[in-house]
Amino acid sequence: MIPFYFSDSQAPLYGVLHEPTDGPFRDKAILFCHPVGHEYFRTYRMVQLLSDKLAKQGYYCLRFDYHGTGDSSGQFDEMNMNTWQQDIIDACDELRSTAGCEQILCIGLRLGAALALKVQPQCYFNELILWDPIFEGQTFLNKLSNLQNKAFRQNWHFSTVRQDSELEENEFLGYRYSTPLTQQLEHLTSSTELMNLSCPCTIIHTDNNDQLSQIKIQNKHNFLILKHINDEGNWFFHKEIDSSISTHNINQFILETLS
Amino acid sequence: MQEQIQQFGKNRNLYGILTQPDTVTQKPCLMIINAGSVHKAGPFGLHVDLARYFADKGYMSFRFDLSGQGESLKLPSELPRNQQIMEDMKDALDCLKLQHQQEDIITFGLCTGAENAHKIAVQDKRVKGVIWLDGYAYLTPKFHRTRLISKLLKPTALIKSLFKRLFGQFAPPELRKNVAFSSDEDSFVWKLPTIDSYRQDMNKLKANDTHCLYVYSGGVNTYYNYQGQFFDAFTNDTFISQVEEVFFPKAAHTFFILRDKQALMACIESWLLKRF
C-alpha cells in the first residue's frame, strides 16, 4: 500500500496504490471511485480492505480522493461534478501508466458510480462494477435532506433539537454542496449512460429497485448484470451517518467475481 | 500551506500527512491522532479541516494513521494493541523531532483519540499541550441532578428508559455491560481510569507544565452534561490550573455541523493564543 500525490503538483490528488502481492499477475488494473460527503467516510475502510484483498489476487488497485475530499487538495464547497469527472480521468491515466495495464476495471460506489459512468467514453473502462449507484441526483439530494432532518430532530447525535437556520446554504451532513454541484445533481440521471453502455457492467444493489430492471431490458448490448445482495446498505438510516459499513457479502461477491 | 506525505516509524510502516504553513514560525506543532477507526482525514474531514485552518494561522500539524488504520500497515507484533499505539505515537514524535525539528507538541484527539492524546502526554515530555474532544469525564452530584431533571422534562424518554432498565435486568450479562466503558482493548472505546490514577497522570502533566483544553459535546450527555463538570470533579486539585474546560451542548460528538466546527476551531485558536 503506497500513498502518493499525483496530477497537478499545485493542486494534487491523494491516491493509494495497492500493488499485487500474490497470485497470477493480472492484465487488468482496478480503479476505485469513492462516494462523496459523509458516505465517503462510511465506505473508506471497506474499500481499503477490498483493495488489499484484490491486490492479493494479483490486481493493481488505485483508490484516490477527488479534489476537496479526503486527503486531496481543495475545498469541498468549491467542487462540482466536472472537477470530479476530470479527477477520475487523471486517476485512470495514472493507473494505466503505473500498472502498465491497458485494461481498467472500475469499481464505483454511490455518486462515484454515477461519475464513473459519465467518464466511460473518455476512460475506456473495460468493465464496471457499480455498487448502489445514484441514478437520479434529485432523489439523492432529497434523501440527504430528509436524513439530515431526521438526524436533527432525533436525539441520537444531538442532545437538543437543531434548526435548519443553523445550517449554511446547501449544507448536507457536514458538507456544503456548491451551487454548481447542487444544480448538476438536480439534473443528474444515469439512465441514458446505462442504456447505451458498451462494456460489461455489474450493478450491485442492496435494495429492490424496479427502475434497474427496466434499464436492463433497454440496454442495447445486453451488457448489464444486476445483482441484489442483502447486505448492509443503510445509506439513509439516521443513526448510522457516522459509522463505517461492513459489507462482507458484497466484498465476497466482488472477490469471487474477480478471482 | 504545503502538504507532504510522510513515511515514518522504526519499521517504516506508518504514514501521515504533514501540513506546513507558508512561513516558518516558532509555534508548537499539532499532532492529530486517529478518532476511533476513522483514518487520518478524521470524521467528516475534521482532521483535514483542522490542519488547514491552523496552517493558515502559522501552526504546523501532523495527522497520521496508527498501525492497522488508514494507510499504516499493521505488522506482526507481540505487543498488545494499547502498547503498540504508544509506540506508534512515540514514532510520530520522533519523526517530528528528527525530521522537522519540532519538539513542542500539542496532541489532539477525539474519543479514543482523546485517550491516546492524554496517554502519550503523560509518558512523553515533548507534549506541551493536550486538546481532547469528548475524552474522560467523572460523574458528579450535579451531573446526576441535571440528568434527572432533563428526564423528568421528557416523560416519554423516561418511560422508555424505565422499560429498558426493567427488561435489561433479564438480559444476559454481556448485553448489560455499558459499552462506553468496555475494557476490550481492540474495540474503539476508551476505558475510564480510576480517579486516583487519573490524578497521578494530571499531576505529572502539571509538573511538566503541560496545558490541557478539554472540549465536550452534547453528544456525550450520558457522562457529561454541564459546563464545569470537570472542575467540579477536581475542585481541590491544583492541576486544574493547567486545564480549560469548554462545553458545546448543541454539537454532535463529531462536530459535523459546519457552524459547530467553526466554533470549535475558534475555541482552540483562542486557547492556543492564550497558553502558548
Side-chain angles (χ1 to χ4, degrees):
Chain A
M1 188 159 39
I2 308 163
F4 66 110
Y5 286 125
F6 65 97
S7 185
D8 180 357
S9 61
Q10 295 303 306
L13 291 170
Y14 178 84
V16 182
L17 184 72
H18 296 249
E19 293 181 305
T21 49
D22 293 311
F25 177 78
R26 313 288 181 140
D27 57 1
K28 203 182 269 181
I30 298 174
L31 178 69
F32 281 89
C33 293
H34 279 291
V36 301
H38 75 291
E39 291 181 349
Y40 161 86
F41 289 94
R42 296 201 61 201
T43 54
Y44 191 89
R45 181 77 176 150
M46 191 282 300
V47 170
Q48 184 201 31
L49 294 174
L50 185 57
S51 307
D52 261 344
K53 287 183 179 161
L54 287 167
K56 283 182 185 153
Q57 288 189 6
Y59 291 97
Y60 268 99
C61 297
L62 175 64
R63 52 191 175 87
F64 74 102
D65 297 336
Y66 313 112
H67 278 114
T69 74
D71 286 306
S72 282
S73 62
Q75 296 289 327
F76 187 90
D77 58 9
E78 291 169 3
M79 298 303 143
N80 59 57
M81 283 181 57
N82 299 344
T83 317
W84 292 338
Q85 284 170 214
Q86 185 58 49
D87 291 346
I88 296 176
I89 295 168
D90 291 349
C92 188
D93 289 347
E94 182 69 30
L95 181 58
R96 275 202 171 96
S97 68
T98 309
C101 291
E102 259 312 298
Q103 295 193 59
I104 303 287
L105 185 157
C106 178
I107 300 180
L109 292 85
R110 308 288 291 145
L111 188 63
L115 292 166
L117 273 174
K118 296 278 176 208
V119 297
Q120 161 65 5
Q122 292 97 314
C123 289
Y124 305 106
F125 295 130
N126 298 83
E127 193 178 339
L128 287 160
I129 295 179
L130 309 179
W131 173 24
D132 276 339
I134 287 163
F135 294 117
E136 304 292 340
Q138 184 60 62
T139 312
F140 175 64
L141 285 175
N142 293 343
K143 285 187 171 179
L144 269 186
S145 180
N146 289 339
L147 183 61
Q148 180 159 264
N149 283 338
K150 266 191 189 166
F152 265 32
R153 310 241 177 311
Q154 309 210 0
N155 62 354
W156 187 258
H157 298 282
F158 302 100
S159 53
T160 53
V161 172
R162 303 296 298 262
Q163 303 301 324
D164 292 346
S165 57
E166 297 176 85
L167 293 171
E168 291 188 16
E169 191 189 359
N170 293 330
E171 178 180 342
F172 298 108
L173 297 166
Y175 294 88
R176 197 177 82 77
Y177 288 58
S178 67
T179 306
L181 175 59
T182 313
Q183 286 169 349
Q184 285 168 332
L185 283 171
E186 282 165 0
H187 295 105
L188 170 71
T189 168
S190 303
S191 321
T192 317
E193 281 85 1
L194 281 171
M195 281 188 264
N196 296 321
L197 200 61
S198 56
C199 73
C201 173
T202 304
I203 298 182
I204 300 167
H205 56 109
T206 54
D207 58 353
N208 288 314
N209 192 329
D210 295 337
Q211 192 190 358
L212 273 175
S213 313
Q214 283 304 311
I215 291 169
K216 180 174 163 54
I217 294 165
Q218 291 169 37
N219 177 254
K220 286 177 186 167
H221 308 282
N222 201 20
F223 276 138
L224 278 185
I225 297 167
L226 303 186
K227 179 72 186 173
H228 177 249
I229 298 182
N230 192 11
D231 210 340
E232 187 181 352
N234 284 343
W235 298 112
F236 297 108
F237 182 45
H238 71 279
K239 288 186 180 176
E240 304 210 344
I241 55 172
D242 54 0
S243 48
S244 289
I245 57 170
S246 55
T247 53
H248 175 77
N249 294 340
I250 293 176
N251 284 16
Q252 208 51 38
F253 169 74
I254 294 174
L255 289 169
E256 281 167 14
T257 305
L258 301 178
S259 63
Chain B
M1 178 201 74
Q2 279 196 336
E3 292 191 310
Q4 71 180 78
I5 295 167
Q6 182 79 56
Q7 185 179 11
F8 68 102
K10 287 182 272 298
N11 300 304
R12 311 284 295 159
N13 62 317
L14 303 172
Y15 285 97
I17 294 181
L18 190 81
T19 307
Q20 292 175 291
D22 287 330
T23 47
V24 179
T25 63
Q26 295 302 309
K27 293 177 175 172
C29 172
L30 296 171
M31 185 170 106
I32 304 171
I33 302 162
N34 293 120
S37 62
V38 184
H39 71 292
K40 64 186 171 305
F44 298 89
L46 175 66
H47 296 176
V48 175
D49 292 340
L50 193 78
R52 293 176 183 172
Y53 179 91
F54 283 103
D56 281 345
K57 310 287 175 193
Y59 294 88
M60 183 187 280
S61 70
F62 187 48
R63 59 181 192 274
F64 69 99
D65 287 316
L66 298 165
S67 52
Q69 290 185 237
E71 273 67 82
S72 294
L73 286 178
K74 185 176 185 178
L75 300 175
S77 165
E78 289 178 1
L79 293 176
R81 177 72 182 150
N82 54 3
Q83 276 183 43
Q84 184 58 56
I85 288 171
M86 292 304 291
E87 290 304 309
D88 292 347
M89 289 191 291
K90 281 180 193 165
D91 283 345
L93 288 171
D94 290 344
C95 168
L96 288 170
K97 183 183 176 182
L98 300 172
Q99 296 193 42
H100 305 284
Q101 298 73 51
Q102 295 295 318
E103 293 200 63
D104 291 341
I105 307 297
I106 294 171
T107 54
F108 171 94
L110 162 72
C111 199
T112 52
E115 176 173 53
N116 293 327
H118 168 80
K119 282 182 173 173
I120 189 69
V122 174
Q123 284 208 9
D124 200 305
K125 290 186 172 179
R126 285 172 290 188
V127 179
K128 300 295 180 196
V130 179
I131 302 167
W132 82 19
L133 270 57
D134 292 344
Y136 305 144
Y138 292 85
L139 308 188
T140 62
K142 187 174 172 184
F143 166 85
H144 293 293
R145 281 201 304 276
T146 310
R147 187 159 71 167
L148 181 65
I149 291 165
S150 134
K151 281 192 173 174
L152 290 173
L153 291 172
K154 292 177 195 160
T156 329
L158 180 66
I159 293 165
K160 266 189 194 169
S161 147
L162 286 172
F163 261 90
K164 214 172 169 184
R165 197 163 269 208
L166 181 67
F167 291 109
Q169 283 186 4
F170 303 108
E174 63 274 18
L175 294 182
R176 274 186 255 149
K177 222 164 57 174
N178 183 348
V179 292
F181 304 108
S182 162
S183 60
D184 181 0
E185 284 176 355
D186 283 330
S187 57
F188 292 102
V189 288
W190 50 253
K191 186 171 186 256
L192 189 69
T194 64
I195 201 156
D196 288 340
S197 150
Y198 180 72
R199 273 202 174 96
Q200 278 180 16
D201 285 356
M202 291 306 288
N203 287 326
K204 261 191 189 177
L205 293 187
K206 182 174 164 51
N208 188 39
D209 195 27
T210 305
H211 295 272
C212 305
L213 173 63
Y214 291 169
V215 178
Y216 297 94
S217 75
V220 292
N221 63 355
T222 49
Y223 70 84
Y224 184 98
N225 63 13
Y226 69 96
Q227 170 75 47
Q229 183 179 326
F230 181 87
F231 275 28
D232 281 354
F234 298 100
T235 316
N236 299 321
D237 291 274
T238 55
F239 65 72
I240 57 171
S241 61
Q242 302 294 111
V243 178
E244 191 165 320
E245 176 188 3
V246 184
F247 183 30
F248 289 91
K250 289 170 84 177
H253 179 51
T254 49
F255 285 79
F256 70 86
I257 300 295
L258 293 174
R259 184 183 280 197
D260 297 344
K261 207 185 267 189
Q262 285 152 9
L264 172 69
M265 306 279 190
C267 162
I268 295 172
E269 187 185 356
S270 140
W271 175 79
L272 284 169
L273 289 171
K274 210 185 309 173
R275 302 275 180 153
F276 296 93

